[in-house]
Amino acid sequence: MARRSRRKQSSNPTPVIIGSIAAILVIGIGFIFLKRGEAPSAKAFPLETYVESCNSLRGMNIASVAKLSKTPT
């Protein structure tokens, strides 16, 4: 039985170029929109006030962000 030779596909750089341009545009547009918003402002935690009287912080909203990671044993 005769074997057919496989025809190599020609590498066409057009999809790669279009994808790269699209990725750069998406990153640029995202950067522009993120820069447009107001800069976040964080107030310093009033440690002296807390130490003097913890009732002074009543009604204050404080958020903390944490990331838990599992360490291998």
Side-chain angles (χ1 to χ4, degrees), residues 54-67:
C54 61
N55 288 332
S56 63
L57 293 176
R58 187 173 295 156
M60 187 174 178
N61 294 330
I62 298 174
S64 63
V65 179
K67 180 180 179 182

Side-chain angles (χ1 to χ4, degrees), residues 16-54:
V16 174
I17 293 171
I18 292 173
S20 299
I21 292 172
I24 291 170
L25 285 175
V26 167
I27 291 171
I29 291 171
F31 182 74
I32 289 170
F33 280 119
L34 288 177
K35 283 295 235 180
R36 231 185 242 182
E38 296 179 9
S41 62
K43 297 179 182 177
F45 185 75
L47 184 61
E48 291 96 19
T49 308
Y50 178 72
V51 171
E52 289 174 11
S53 171
C54 61

Side-chain angles (χ1 to χ4, degrees), residues 2-20:
R3 294 185 182 198
R4 291 190 215 178
S5 65
R6 290 189 178 182
R7 196 172 158 195
K8 287 188 176 181
Q9 294 178 349
S10 63
S11 63
N12 191 356
T14 306
V16 174
I17 293 171
I18 292 173
S20 299

